[in-house]
Short mmCIF file of all heavy atoms in Angstrom, two decimals:
data_model
loop_
_atom_site.label_atom_id
_atom_site.label_comp_id
_atom_site.label_asym_id
_atom_site.label_seq_id
_atom_site.Cartn_x
_atom_site.Cartn_y
_atom_site.Cartn_z
N GLU A 140 125.99 148.63 96.63
CA GLU A 140 125.85 149.19 97.98
C GLU A 140 125.75 148.07 99.01
O GLU A 140 126.35 148.14 100.08
CB GLU A 140 124.61 150.09 98.04
CG GLU A 140 124.49 150.87 99.31
CD GLU A 140 123.28 151.80 99.32
OE1 GLU A 140 122.39 151.67 98.46
OE2 GLU A 140 123.23 152.65 100.22
N PHE A 141 125.01 147.02 98.67
CA PHE A 141 124.91 145.87 99.57
C PHE A 141 126.29 145.27 99.83
O PHE A 141 126.67 145.01 100.98
CB PHE A 141 123.98 144.79 99.01
CG PHE A 141 124.20 143.45 99.66
CD1 PHE A 141 123.75 143.22 100.95
CD2 PHE A 141 124.91 142.46 99.02
CE1 PHE A 141 123.99 142.00 101.57
CE2 PHE A 141 125.16 141.25 99.63
CZ PHE A 141 124.69 141.01 100.91
N LEU A 142 127.05 145.03 98.77
CA LEU A 142 128.38 144.42 98.93
C LEU A 142 129.28 145.30 99.79
O LEU A 142 130.03 144.79 100.64
CB LEU A 142 129.03 144.18 97.57
CG LEU A 142 128.42 143.06 96.74
CD1 LEU A 142 129.14 142.98 95.40
CD2 LEU A 142 128.49 141.73 97.46
N ALA A 143 129.23 146.61 99.59
CA ALA A 143 130.07 147.52 100.36
C ALA A 143 129.73 147.45 101.84
O ALA A 143 130.63 147.43 102.70
CB ALA A 143 129.92 148.94 99.83
N LEU A 144 128.46 147.41 102.18
CA LEU A 144 128.05 147.34 103.58
C LEU A 144 128.29 145.95 104.17
O LEU A 144 128.78 145.82 105.29
CB LEU A 144 126.58 147.72 103.72
CG LEU A 144 126.26 149.19 103.47
CD1 LEU A 144 124.75 149.40 103.44
CD2 LEU A 144 126.90 150.07 104.52
N ALA A 145 127.94 144.92 103.42
CA ALA A 145 128.05 143.55 103.93
C ALA A 145 129.50 143.17 104.20
O ALA A 145 129.77 142.41 105.13
CB ALA A 145 127.42 142.57 102.94
N ARG A 146 130.41 143.68 103.42
CA ARG A 146 131.83 143.34 103.59
C ARG A 146 132.34 143.74 104.97
O ARG A 146 133.29 143.17 105.48
CB ARG A 146 132.66 144.02 102.49
CG ARG A 146 134.13 143.75 102.58
CD ARG A 146 134.38 142.26 102.29
NE ARG A 146 135.76 141.93 102.46
CZ ARG A 146 136.21 141.10 103.40
NH1 ARG A 146 135.38 140.51 104.22
NH2 ARG A 146 137.48 140.83 103.51
N HIS A 147 131.71 144.73 105.59
CA HIS A 147 132.15 145.21 106.90
C HIS A 147 131.22 144.82 108.03
O HIS A 147 131.44 145.23 109.17
CB HIS A 147 132.33 146.73 106.84
CG HIS A 147 133.35 147.15 105.84
ND1 HIS A 147 134.70 146.99 106.06
CD2 HIS A 147 133.23 147.66 104.60
CE1 HIS A 147 135.37 147.41 104.99
NE2 HIS A 147 134.49 147.82 104.10
N ALA A 148 130.19 144.06 107.73
CA ALA A 148 129.22 143.67 108.75
C ALA A 148 129.80 142.61 109.68
O ALA A 148 130.51 141.71 109.24
CB ALA A 148 127.95 143.14 108.10
N ALA A 149 129.49 142.70 110.94
CA ALA A 149 129.90 141.67 111.89
C ALA A 149 129.05 140.42 111.72
O ALA A 149 129.50 139.30 111.97
CB ALA A 149 129.78 142.20 113.32
N LEU A 150 127.80 140.60 111.28
CA LEU A 150 126.87 139.49 111.12
C LEU A 150 125.76 139.93 110.17
O LEU A 150 125.26 141.05 110.27
CB LEU A 150 126.26 139.12 112.48
CG LEU A 150 125.19 138.05 112.50
CD1 LEU A 150 125.78 136.69 112.11
CD2 LEU A 150 124.54 137.96 113.88
N LEU A 151 125.38 139.05 109.27
CA LEU A 151 124.24 139.29 108.38
C LEU A 151 123.09 138.40 108.82
O LEU A 151 123.31 137.25 109.22
CB LEU A 151 124.61 138.96 106.93
CG LEU A 151 125.74 139.80 106.35
CD1 LEU A 151 126.29 139.14 105.10
CD2 LEU A 151 125.24 141.18 106.04
N VAL A 152 121.88 138.92 108.77
CA VAL A 152 120.67 138.16 109.08
C VAL A 152 119.72 138.38 107.92
O VAL A 152 119.38 139.51 107.60
CB VAL A 152 120.03 138.64 110.40
CG1 VAL A 152 118.75 137.85 110.68
CG2 VAL A 152 121.00 138.53 111.56
N SER A 153 119.30 137.29 107.28
CA SER A 153 118.45 137.44 106.10
C SER A 153 117.70 136.15 105.81
O SER A 153 118.06 135.08 106.29
CB SER A 153 119.33 137.80 104.89
OG SER A 153 118.53 137.95 103.74
N ASP A 154 116.69 136.28 104.96
CA ASP A 154 116.00 135.10 104.43
C ASP A 154 116.32 134.92 102.94
O ASP A 154 115.75 134.08 102.28
CB ASP A 154 114.49 135.20 104.65
CG ASP A 154 113.86 136.34 103.87
OD1 ASP A 154 114.59 137.17 103.30
OD2 ASP A 154 112.62 136.41 103.84
N SER A 155 117.26 135.69 102.42
CA SER A 155 117.57 135.70 100.99
C SER A 155 118.55 134.59 100.59
O SER A 155 119.62 134.44 101.17
CB SER A 155 118.19 137.06 100.63
OG SER A 155 118.79 137.01 99.37
N GLY A 156 118.19 133.86 99.56
CA GLY A 156 119.09 132.86 99.02
C GLY A 156 120.33 133.48 98.40
O GLY A 156 121.42 132.94 98.48
N GLY A 157 120.17 134.64 97.77
CA GLY A 157 121.31 135.32 97.17
C GLY A 157 122.33 135.75 98.21
O GLY A 157 123.54 135.63 97.99
N ILE A 158 121.87 136.21 99.34
CA ILE A 158 122.79 136.61 100.41
C ILE A 158 123.51 135.39 100.97
O ILE A 158 124.67 135.48 101.36
CB ILE A 158 122.05 137.43 101.48
CG1 ILE A 158 121.66 138.78 100.88
CG2 ILE A 158 122.92 137.62 102.73
CD1 ILE A 158 120.88 139.68 101.80
N GLN A 159 122.87 134.24 100.96
CA GLN A 159 123.54 133.02 101.40
C GLN A 159 124.76 132.76 100.52
O GLN A 159 125.80 132.33 101.00
CB GLN A 159 122.59 131.83 101.33
CG GLN A 159 121.51 131.87 102.38
CD GLN A 159 120.56 130.71 102.24
OE1 GLN A 159 120.97 129.56 102.30
NE2 GLN A 159 119.29 131.02 102.05
N GLU A 160 124.64 133.00 99.25
CA GLU A 160 125.78 132.81 98.34
C GLU A 160 126.85 133.87 98.58
O GLU A 160 128.04 133.56 98.60
CB GLU A 160 125.31 132.86 96.89
CG GLU A 160 124.49 131.66 96.50
CD GLU A 160 124.09 131.68 95.03
OE1 GLU A 160 124.75 132.39 94.25
OE2 GLU A 160 123.15 130.97 94.70
N GLU A 161 126.44 135.11 98.74
CA GLU A 161 127.40 136.20 98.89
C GLU A 161 128.21 136.09 100.17
O GLU A 161 129.38 136.45 100.20
CB GLU A 161 126.69 137.56 98.84
CG GLU A 161 126.01 137.86 97.52
CD GLU A 161 126.96 137.92 96.34
OE1 GLU A 161 128.19 138.03 96.51
OE2 GLU A 161 126.44 137.86 95.21
N CYS A 162 127.62 135.59 101.25
CA CYS A 162 128.36 135.52 102.51
C CYS A 162 129.57 134.62 102.38
O CYS A 162 130.59 134.87 103.02
CB CYS A 162 127.45 135.08 103.66
SG CYS A 162 127.08 133.33 103.72
N THR A 163 129.50 133.59 101.56
CA THR A 163 130.65 132.71 101.40
C THR A 163 131.79 133.41 100.66
O THR A 163 132.95 133.17 100.93
CB THR A 163 130.27 131.42 100.65
OG1 THR A 163 129.79 131.74 99.35
CG2 THR A 163 129.19 130.66 101.39
N VAL A 164 131.46 134.30 99.73
CA VAL A 164 132.48 135.07 99.01
C VAL A 164 133.05 136.17 99.89
O VAL A 164 134.25 136.43 99.89
CB VAL A 164 131.88 135.65 97.71
CG1 VAL A 164 132.87 136.55 97.02
CG2 VAL A 164 131.42 134.53 96.78
N LEU A 165 132.19 136.83 100.65
CA LEU A 165 132.60 137.95 101.49
C LEU A 165 133.27 137.51 102.79
O LEU A 165 133.93 138.32 103.45
CB LEU A 165 131.39 138.83 101.83
CG LEU A 165 130.72 139.53 100.65
CD1 LEU A 165 129.41 140.17 101.10
CD2 LEU A 165 131.65 140.57 100.06
N GLY A 166 133.08 136.26 103.18
CA GLY A 166 133.66 135.80 104.43
C GLY A 166 132.97 136.38 105.65
O GLY A 166 133.59 136.69 106.65
N ARG A 167 131.66 136.54 105.57
CA ARG A 167 130.86 137.09 106.66
C ARG A 167 129.91 136.04 107.18
O ARG A 167 129.34 135.26 106.42
CB ARG A 167 130.01 138.27 106.17
CG ARG A 167 130.79 139.43 105.65
CD ARG A 167 131.43 140.21 106.77
NE ARG A 167 132.85 139.95 106.78
CZ ARG A 167 133.69 140.44 107.67
NH1 ARG A 167 133.28 141.17 108.64
NH2 ARG A 167 134.96 140.16 107.61
N PRO A 168 129.71 135.98 108.49
CA PRO A 168 128.74 135.03 109.05
C PRO A 168 127.31 135.48 108.74
O PRO A 168 127.04 136.67 108.61
CB PRO A 168 129.03 135.06 110.55
CG PRO A 168 129.64 136.40 110.79
CD PRO A 168 130.39 136.75 109.53
N LEU A 169 126.43 134.51 108.64
CA LEU A 169 125.04 134.77 108.27
C LEU A 169 124.11 133.90 109.09
O LEU A 169 124.38 132.72 109.31
CB LEU A 169 124.84 134.45 106.78
CG LEU A 169 123.42 134.45 106.23
CD1 LEU A 169 122.85 135.86 106.22
CD2 LEU A 169 123.38 133.85 104.84
N ILE A 170 123.01 134.48 109.50
CA ILE A 170 121.91 133.70 110.07
C ILE A 170 120.80 133.74 109.05
O ILE A 170 120.32 134.81 108.67
CB ILE A 170 121.45 134.25 111.42
CG1 ILE A 170 122.59 134.13 112.43
CG2 ILE A 170 120.21 133.51 111.90
CD1 ILE A 170 122.26 134.68 113.80
N VAL A 171 120.41 132.56 108.57
CA VAL A 171 119.35 132.43 107.58
C VAL A 171 118.05 132.16 108.32
O VAL A 171 117.91 131.14 109.00
CB VAL A 171 119.66 131.27 106.60
CG1 VAL A 171 118.56 131.13 105.58
CG2 VAL A 171 121.01 131.48 105.93
N VAL A 172 117.11 133.08 108.21
CA VAL A 172 115.84 132.96 108.92
C VAL A 172 114.83 132.34 107.97
O VAL A 172 114.12 133.02 107.24
CB VAL A 172 115.37 134.34 109.44
CG1 VAL A 172 114.11 134.18 110.28
CG2 VAL A 172 116.47 135.03 110.23
N ARG A 173 114.83 131.03 107.96
CA ARG A 173 113.94 130.23 107.10
C ARG A 173 113.78 128.86 107.72
O ARG A 173 114.53 128.49 108.62
CB ARG A 173 114.56 130.07 105.70
CG ARG A 173 114.69 131.38 104.95
CD ARG A 173 115.48 131.24 103.69
NE ARG A 173 114.77 130.43 102.70
CZ ARG A 173 115.22 130.26 101.47
NH1 ARG A 173 116.34 130.81 101.08
NH2 ARG A 173 114.55 129.54 100.62
N ARG A 174 112.86 128.11 107.17
CA ARG A 174 112.66 126.74 107.65
C ARG A 174 113.53 125.74 106.89
O ARG A 174 113.78 124.64 107.37
CB ARG A 174 111.19 126.37 107.54
CG ARG A 174 110.36 127.09 108.58
CD ARG A 174 108.89 126.74 108.51
NE ARG A 174 108.17 127.28 109.64
CZ ARG A 174 107.81 128.55 109.77
NH1 ARG A 174 108.12 129.43 108.83
NH2 ARG A 174 107.17 128.97 110.84
N SER A 175 114.00 126.13 105.70
CA SER A 175 114.86 125.26 104.90
C SER A 175 115.70 126.13 103.98
O SER A 175 115.44 127.32 103.83
CB SER A 175 114.02 124.27 104.07
OG SER A 175 113.24 124.98 103.12
N THR A 176 116.70 125.51 103.37
CA THR A 176 117.55 126.25 102.44
C THR A 176 117.90 125.38 101.25
O THR A 176 118.04 124.16 101.39
CB THR A 176 118.83 126.76 103.11
OG1 THR A 176 119.61 127.47 102.15
CG2 THR A 176 119.66 125.63 103.68
N GLU A 177 118.03 126.01 100.10
CA GLU A 177 118.47 125.31 98.91
C GLU A 177 119.98 125.46 98.71
O GLU A 177 120.53 125.04 97.71
CB GLU A 177 117.71 125.81 97.66
CG GLU A 177 117.92 127.27 97.34
CD GLU A 177 117.09 128.25 98.17
OE1 GLU A 177 116.33 127.84 99.06
OE2 GLU A 177 117.24 129.45 97.93
N ARG A 178 120.66 126.05 99.69
CA ARG A 178 122.10 126.28 99.60
C ARG A 178 122.81 125.67 100.81
O ARG A 178 123.35 126.38 101.67
CB ARG A 178 122.37 127.77 99.49
CG ARG A 178 121.88 128.30 98.16
CD ARG A 178 122.06 129.79 98.07
NE ARG A 178 121.69 130.25 96.74
CZ ARG A 178 120.45 130.51 96.36
NH1 ARG A 178 119.45 130.30 97.19
NH2 ARG A 178 120.19 130.94 95.15
N PRO A 179 122.84 124.36 100.91
CA PRO A 179 123.44 123.71 102.09
C PRO A 179 124.94 123.96 102.20
O PRO A 179 125.50 123.86 103.29
CB PRO A 179 123.14 122.23 101.88
CG PRO A 179 122.92 122.09 100.41
CD PRO A 179 122.32 123.39 99.95
N GLU A 180 125.61 124.34 101.11
CA GLU A 180 127.05 124.59 101.18
C GLU A 180 127.38 125.76 102.10
O GLU A 180 128.43 125.78 102.75
CB GLU A 180 127.64 124.84 99.77
CG GLU A 180 127.12 126.08 99.07
CD GLU A 180 125.78 125.93 98.36
OE1 GLU A 180 125.16 124.84 98.42
OE2 GLU A 180 125.35 126.91 97.74
N ALA A 181 126.50 126.72 102.20
CA ALA A 181 126.73 127.86 103.10
C ALA A 181 126.60 127.45 104.56
O ALA A 181 127.19 128.05 105.44
CB ALA A 181 125.76 128.99 102.78
N MET A 182 125.82 126.41 104.83
CA MET A 182 125.58 125.99 106.20
C MET A 182 126.81 125.36 106.84
O MET A 182 126.91 125.27 108.05
CB MET A 182 124.42 124.98 106.28
CG MET A 182 123.08 125.51 105.82
SD MET A 182 122.50 126.92 106.74
CE MET A 182 122.45 128.13 105.45
N ALA A 183 127.77 124.93 106.04
CA ALA A 183 128.95 124.26 106.58
C ALA A 183 129.70 125.13 107.58
O ALA A 183 130.00 124.70 108.69
CB ALA A 183 129.86 123.82 105.44
N ASP A 184 130.04 126.35 107.21
CA ASP A 184 130.82 127.23 108.08
C ASP A 184 130.24 128.62 108.21
O ASP A 184 130.40 129.27 109.23
CB ASP A 184 132.25 127.38 107.54
CG ASP A 184 133.02 126.09 107.59
OD1 ASP A 184 132.98 125.42 108.64
OD2 ASP A 184 133.68 125.75 106.60
N PHE A 185 129.62 129.11 107.17
CA PHE A 185 129.26 130.52 107.09
C PHE A 185 127.91 130.86 107.70
O PHE A 185 127.71 131.99 108.11
CB PHE A 185 129.25 130.97 105.62
CG PHE A 185 130.61 130.97 105.02
CD1 PHE A 185 131.09 129.87 104.34
CD2 PHE A 185 131.44 132.08 105.15
CE1 PHE A 185 132.36 129.86 103.80
CE2 PHE A 185 132.71 132.08 104.61
CZ PHE A 185 133.17 130.97 103.93
N ALA A 186 127.00 129.92 107.72
CA ALA A 186 125.63 130.28 108.08
C ALA A 186 125.00 129.29 109.06
O ALA A 186 125.40 128.14 109.14
CB ALA A 186 124.78 130.34 106.81
N ASP A 187 124.03 129.81 109.78
CA ASP A 187 123.18 129.01 110.64
C ASP A 187 121.76 129.17 110.15
O ASP A 187 121.33 130.27 109.81
CB ASP A 187 123.25 129.50 112.09
CG ASP A 187 124.61 129.28 112.71
OD1 ASP A 187 125.02 128.12 112.81
OD2 ASP A 187 125.25 130.28 113.08
N LEU A 188 121.03 128.09 110.09
CA LEU A 188 119.64 128.09 109.67
C LEU A 188 118.76 128.08 110.91
O LEU A 188 118.93 127.23 111.79
CB LEU A 188 119.36 126.87 108.80
CG LEU A 188 117.97 126.73 108.21
CD1 LEU A 188 117.70 127.84 107.21
CD2 LEU A 188 117.82 125.37 107.54
N VAL A 189 117.84 129.03 110.99
CA VAL A 189 116.96 129.10 112.15
C VAL A 189 115.57 129.53 111.70
O VAL A 189 115.43 130.39 110.84
CB VAL A 189 117.53 130.07 113.23
CG1 VAL A 189 117.61 131.48 112.71
CG2 VAL A 189 116.71 130.02 114.50
N GLU A 190 114.56 128.90 112.27
CA GLU A 190 113.20 129.33 112.00
C GLU A 190 112.95 130.64 112.74
O GLU A 190 113.59 130.91 113.76
CB GLU A 190 112.21 128.26 112.48
CG GLU A 190 112.28 126.98 111.67
CD GLU A 190 111.20 125.98 112.06
OE1 GLU A 190 110.22 126.39 112.72
OE2 GLU A 190 111.34 124.82 111.69
N PRO A 191 112.02 131.45 112.25
CA PRO A 191 111.70 132.69 112.96
C PRO A 191 111.32 132.38 114.41
O PRO A 191 110.59 131.43 114.68
CB PRO A 191 110.51 133.25 112.18
CG PRO A 191 110.63 132.64 110.82
CD PRO A 191 111.22 131.28 111.03
N GLY A 192 111.86 133.15 115.34
CA GLY A 192 111.55 132.94 116.74
C GLY A 192 112.71 133.32 117.64
O GLY A 192 113.70 133.88 117.20
N PRO A 193 112.61 132.97 118.91
CA PRO A 193 113.60 133.41 119.90
C PRO A 193 115.00 132.82 119.70
O PRO A 193 115.97 133.40 120.16
CB PRO A 193 113.00 132.97 121.23
CG PRO A 193 111.99 131.94 120.91
CD PRO A 193 111.51 132.24 119.52
N ARG A 194 115.11 131.71 119.03
CA ARG A 194 116.44 131.11 118.83
C ARG A 194 117.33 132.01 117.97
O ARG A 194 118.56 131.92 118.04
CB ARG A 194 116.30 129.72 118.20
CG ARG A 194 117.61 128.98 118.20
CD ARG A 194 117.42 127.47 118.20
NE ARG A 194 118.72 126.85 118.27
CZ ARG A 194 119.40 126.41 117.23
NH1 ARG A 194 118.88 126.50 116.02
NH2 ARG A 194 120.58 125.86 117.37
N LEU A 195 116.74 132.88 117.19
CA LEU A 195 117.50 133.81 116.36
C LEU A 195 118.46 134.63 117.22
O LEU A 195 119.64 134.77 116.90
CB LEU A 195 116.55 134.73 115.58
CG LEU A 195 117.16 135.89 114.83
CD1 LEU A 195 118.11 135.41 113.75
CD2 LEU A 195 116.06 136.74 114.23
N GLY A 196 117.99 135.15 118.33
CA GLY A 196 118.83 135.94 119.22
C GLY A 196 119.97 135.14 119.81
O GLY A 196 121.09 135.62 119.95
N VAL A 197 119.69 133.89 120.17
CA VAL A 197 120.72 133.01 120.73
C VAL A 197 121.84 132.81 119.72
O VAL A 197 123.03 132.93 120.04
CB VAL A 197 120.11 131.65 121.16
CG1 VAL A 197 121.18 130.67 121.56
CG2 VAL A 197 119.10 131.86 122.28
N LEU A 198 121.48 132.48 118.47
CA LEU A 198 122.49 132.27 117.44
C LEU A 198 123.26 133.54 117.12
O LEU A 198 124.47 133.51 116.90
CB LEU A 198 121.85 131.71 116.17
CG LEU A 198 121.38 130.26 116.26
CD1 LEU A 198 120.63 129.87 114.99
CD2 LEU A 198 122.55 129.34 116.48
N ALA A 199 122.57 134.68 117.09
CA ALA A 199 123.24 135.94 116.80
C ALA A 199 124.28 136.25 117.87
O ALA A 199 125.41 136.62 117.56
CB ALA A 199 122.21 137.07 116.70
N ARG A 200 123.91 136.09 119.13
CA ARG A 200 124.87 136.36 120.21
C ARG A 200 126.05 135.41 120.14
O ARG A 200 127.19 135.81 120.36
CB ARG A 200 124.17 136.27 121.57
CG ARG A 200 123.30 137.49 121.86
CD ARG A 200 122.75 137.48 123.28
NE ARG A 200 121.78 136.41 123.53
CZ ARG A 200 120.50 136.47 123.17
NH1 ARG A 200 120.04 137.52 122.54
NH2 ARG A 200 119.69 135.47 123.44
N ARG A 201 125.80 134.15 119.81
CA ARG A 201 126.90 133.18 119.71
C ARG A 201 127.87 133.56 118.59
O ARG A 201 129.08 133.56 118.78
CB ARG A 201 126.35 131.77 119.45
CG ARG A 201 127.45 130.71 119.59
CD ARG A 201 127.03 129.36 119.08
NE ARG A 201 127.25 129.38 117.63
CZ ARG A 201 126.51 128.76 116.75
NH1 ARG A 201 125.46 128.07 117.11
NH2 ARG A 201 126.78 128.84 115.47
N ARG A 202 127.33 133.90 117.42
CA ARG A 202 128.19 134.29 116.30
C ARG A 202 128.97 135.56 116.61
O ARG A 202 130.16 135.64 116.33
CB ARG A 202 127.36 134.51 115.03
CG ARG A 202 126.98 133.25 114.32
CD ARG A 202 128.19 132.66 113.64
NE ARG A 202 127.79 131.53 112.82
CZ ARG A 202 128.53 131.01 111.88
NH1 ARG A 202 129.70 131.52 111.60
NH2 ARG A 202 128.12 129.98 111.20
N LEU A 203 128.33 136.54 117.20
CA LEU A 203 129.02 137.79 117.53
C LEU A 203 130.09 137.58 118.60
O LEU A 203 131.13 138.22 118.58
CB LEU A 203 128.01 138.85 117.97
CG LEU A 203 127.10 139.37 116.85
CD1 LEU A 203 126.00 140.24 117.44
CD2 LEU A 203 127.90 140.13 115.81
N ALA A 204 129.85 136.66 119.53
CA ALA A 204 130.82 136.38 120.58
C ALA A 204 132.10 135.75 120.03
O ALA A 204 133.16 135.84 120.67
CB ALA A 204 130.20 135.47 121.64
N GLU A 205 132.03 135.13 118.87
CA GLU A 205 133.23 134.53 118.26
C GLU A 205 134.24 135.60 117.86
O GLU A 205 135.42 135.32 117.78
CB GLU A 205 132.85 133.70 117.04
CG GLU A 205 132.08 132.46 117.37
CD GLU A 205 131.64 131.70 116.13
OE1 GLU A 205 131.82 132.22 115.01
OE2 GLU A 205 131.13 130.58 116.28
N GLY A 206 133.77 136.81 117.61
CA GLY A 206 134.64 137.94 117.29
C GLY A 206 135.60 137.66 116.14
O GLY A 206 135.28 136.94 115.19
N PRO A 207 136.83 138.19 116.22
CA PRO A 207 137.81 138.04 115.14
C PRO A 207 138.16 136.59 114.85
O PRO A 207 138.41 136.22 113.71
CB PRO A 207 139.03 138.80 115.65
CG PRO A 207 138.48 139.79 116.62
CD PRO A 207 137.29 139.11 117.25
#
Side-chain angles (χ1 to χ4, degrees):
E140 188 178 13
F141 162 75
L142 289 178
L144 290 172
R146 180 67 185 115
H147 299 286
L150 176 67
L151 298 164
V152 179
S153 180
D154 65 351
S155 166
I158 291 178
Q159 289 177 59
E160 290 183 20
E161 297 298 344
C162 77
T163 61
V164 174
L165 296 171
R167 298 285 107 183
L169 171 69
I170 296 178
V171 180
V172 185
R173 295 171 68 174
R174 288 180 171 77
S175 64
T176 180
E177 62 280 1
R178 292 176 175 83
E180 64 278 2
M182 297 301 117
D184 294 314
F185 293 93
D187 293 298
L188 182 66
V189 63
E190 292 186 17
R194 190 153 183 264
L195 171 62
V197 172
L198 288 174
R200 285 187 292 280
R201 190 192 83 214
R202 281 287 187 163
L203 290 171
E205 291 177 352

